[in-house]
């Protein structure tokens, strides 16, 4: 990452950065986004507020960076030769315990973003877009292989399909999306919509 | 409706009920769910708080009933002979202006439900379930006609597909779902997932 936030953070060690993100996530789980203050983060991590603002710019950026820190790395290694294989491998990166923990965090942040335009922008730019970019790379390879037609109408709705599968269960069913659930959803909805036959 | 809430409300006229719901929706738009109080509703509508509690039971039920009041009636009249025709007709019940207004209300309530188990239950039982029941009736007719296979795996994910289409745009794109958008989504995602060919 060569963005400005990384440049600003360059003077702290990766270990200190990870420690700080863990403290932010603990606070987020304890009090939620709206009640989380930079004062509390500063106290919990024995930092100065000035340092936090200088390094991250603000609460929205700090919280989203902390959530992003929990995500698995990029999927450059995934290339199974079929779209179904790649999508299943994407979902299999996390175990159910990690999915559940991340899902609770994402939900808390997603709920708070309704009243926070800053948070909404950070959430979209730092969490949704990187995930979707990976997803789109996997799909593009399927288009290049001829597995998915380049004019398939579902290509315009990748984000909507994925949010439907990943978020609906957490929001309405009060259940985290398990790997088994996500795999079934990919086979039942996403692959058929993309015109890929599933067994 | 022959449920207990209706029985409890039976002594007020439909006009007065509609007037009260309008006031609740105005307050909801002005201050949001969390800051909305029964005191404010009572003052705005010149009711006593005791009456409000007796008639509706609580804030969550009152707010969800008010939002539900804005929804179009049941779709018993819709029966075009094809699943695609029925789904398009479902979406066409509302004009874009109504969709936008309802979408903002639904979003506000959906966001608040994260921290409110009562609201979450009311939201699911009074808003999501009735919509999904109509939707399922339309799909069941398609199964009965032989348009959709009864063992089609996407039948388990109707709610997830619909939430993906209706909510993602509002949550992440800051745009209400228009009729044109919803129609495209039905054709590109929902119908192909159900194994129904679209032009």
């Amino acid at each position: 990452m060569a963005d400005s936030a990384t440049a600003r953070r360059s003077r702290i060690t990766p270990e200190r950065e990870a420690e700080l993100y863990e403290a932010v996530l603990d606070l987020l789980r304890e009090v939620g986004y709206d009640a989380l203050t930079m004062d509390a983060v500063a106290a919990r991590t024995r930092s100065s507020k000035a340092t936090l603002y200088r390094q991250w710019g603000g609460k929205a950026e700090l919280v989203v960076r902390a959530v992003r820190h929990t995500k698995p790395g990029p999927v450059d290694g995934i290339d199974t030769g079929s779209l179904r294989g790649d999508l299943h491998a994407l979902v299999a990166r996390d175990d159910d315990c990690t999915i559940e923990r991340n899902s609770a965090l994402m939900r808390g942040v997603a709920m708070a973003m309704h009243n926070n335009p800053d948070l909404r922008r950070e959430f979209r730019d730092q969490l949704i877009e990187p995930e979707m970019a990976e997803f789109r790379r996997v799909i593009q390879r399927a288009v290049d292989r001829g597995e998915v037609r380049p004019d398939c109408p579902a290509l315009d709705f990748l984000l909507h399909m994925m949010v439907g599968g990943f978020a609906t269960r957490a929001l309405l069913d009060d259940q985290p999306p398990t790997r088994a659930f996500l795999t079934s959803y990919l086979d039942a909805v996403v692959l058929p919509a993309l015109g890929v036959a599933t067994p």
Side-chain angles (χ1 to χ4, degrees), chain A:
Chain A
M1 289 184 296
D3 56 13
S4 63
T6 307
R8 270 187 268 134
R9 275 199 303 278
S10 58
R11 268 165 297 173
I12 61 173
T13 64
E15 291 72 23
R16 175 68 178 144
E17 191 177 342
E19 191 182 291
L20 214 138
Y21 288 149
E22 274 310 312
V24 171
L25 296 177
D26 286 344
L27 276 168
L28 197 59
R29 289 189 196 95
E30 289 164 26
V31 303
Y33 182 84
D34 287 329
L36 185 150
T37 63
M38 292 297 257
D39 279 315
V41 175
R44 179 77 61 104
T45 60
R46 296 195 188 84
S47 324
S48 79
K49 248 169 68 173
T51 304
L52 296 178
Y53 277 107
R54 192 175 57 244
Q55 304 266 353
W56 281 276
K59 172 173 145 180
E61 192 176 1
L62 174 57
V63 167
V64 167
R65 289 272 166 179
V67 173
R68 183 173 164 175
H69 192 69
T70 66
K71 303 295 232 175
V75 289
D76 296 340
I78 293 179
D79 191 358
T80 66
S82 77
L83 179 58
R84 184 164 186 255
D86 283 0
L87 291 180
H88 284 203
L90 262 178
V91 165
R93 280 180 303 169
D94 290 329
D95 59 30
D96 283 349
C97 190
T98 309
I99 293 177
E100 176 165 358
R101 227 173 25 232
N102 288 352
S103 168
L105 281 173
M106 290 281 278
R107 188 173 56 199
V109 175
M111 287 295 154
M113 77 185 181
H114 181 50
N115 300 313
N116 294 280
D118 286 355
L119 181 61
R120 194 154 57 225
R121 197 187 49 245
E122 289 293 328
F123 188 84
R124 200 170 43 206
D125 294 353
Q126 302 293 335
L127 287 171
I128 302 295
E129 270 311 310
E131 293 272 319
M132 287 310 296
E134 295 196 2
F135 194 71
R136 279 192 210 99
R137 274 195 295 275
V138 162
I139 305 272
Q140 185 56 49
R141 281 210 307 262
V143 172
D144 295 344
R145 277 193 303 263
E147 246 192 307
V148 173
R149 285 174 46 181
D151 62 349
C152 175
L155 289 172
D156 291 335
F157 299 101
L158 294 176
L159 175 63
H160 307 83
M161 288 193 283
M162 295 315 286
V163 170
F166 284 70
T168 306
R169 191 170 159 106
L171 290 178
L172 294 175
D173 302 343
D174 281 331
Q175 289 178 34
T178 60
R179 269 164 65 166
F181 170 84
L182 292 173
T183 305
S184 305
Y185 181 79
L186 289 170
D187 282 351
V189 174
V190 178
L191 289 163
L194 290 168
V196 177
T198 52

